[in-house]
Amino acid sequence: MGKLTTHVLDTMSGLPGAEIKVELFRQQGEHYEHIQTVTTNGDGRTDSPILEDAAFQAGKYQLVFYVADYFRQQGVTLDEVPFLDDVVIRFGLNDEQAHYHVPLLVSPYSFSTYRGS
């Protein structure tokens, strides 16, 4: 069966993004249905796949990473309305047997992602 994993790298410090709240949603028609909420561990990863086994289905998904909360916890001074508050990544899963890995590289003012392995 397929699985979905993620990890976060804080590119400002060069360290894993630990203790970041991440929410997963699946698109259902015009809306997104909440699947689960996880928190990254000390390595910037989740302790287990975010989606796997029977729950892993082809479709459109969205990950939301709450990065402003993380940077504030790290002592970074952010504007009252931060440039990046939460980072939303929308993507599609097609192969129900594949491992999809969606990493986030983030600083208070930029982010990037890619399909990892």
Side-chain angles (χ1 to χ4, degrees):
M1 298 295 296
K3 65 181 176 178
L4 172 65
T5 58
T6 190
H7 78 270
V8 181
L9 177 63
D10 173 349
T11 57
M12 187 174 106
S13 68
L15 298 171
E19 303 299 317
I20 296 177
K21 178 177 142 181
V22 181
E23 292 183 316
L24 174 67
F25 298 83
R26 179 184 295 122
Q27 186 174 7
Q28 299 291 338
E30 294 182 20
H31 304 285
Y32 280 86
E33 171 189 334
H34 180 263
I35 303 299
Q36 78 164 313
T37 301
V38 296
T39 303
T40 59
N41 60 25
D43 195 32
R45 300 174 184 274
T46 57
D47 290 330
S48 60
I50 301 172
L51 193 64
E52 64 182 333
D53 299 330
F56 188 93
Q57 301 169 6
K60 292 184 179 181
Y61 290 83
Q62 171 177 289
L63 283 168
V64 181
F65 299 83
Y66 291 86
V67 299
D69 294 342
Y70 163 77
F71 284 113
R72 285 188 179 108
Q73 290 172 357
Q74 302 307 305
V76 177
T77 301
L78 300 177
D79 292 330
E80 183 178 336
V81 178
F83 183 74
L84 293 177
D85 189 356
D86 50 283
V87 172
V88 177
I89 300 172
R90 291 186 173 165
F91 56 96
L93 303 179
N94 291 290
D95 182 352
E96 293 181 352
Q97 302 302 313
H99 176 192
Y100 288 82
H101 184 68
V102 181
L104 176 68
L105 289 74
V106 67
S107 80
Y109 299 99
S110 68
F111 71 91
S112 65
T113 190
Y114 55 93
R115 180 177 173 191
S117 57

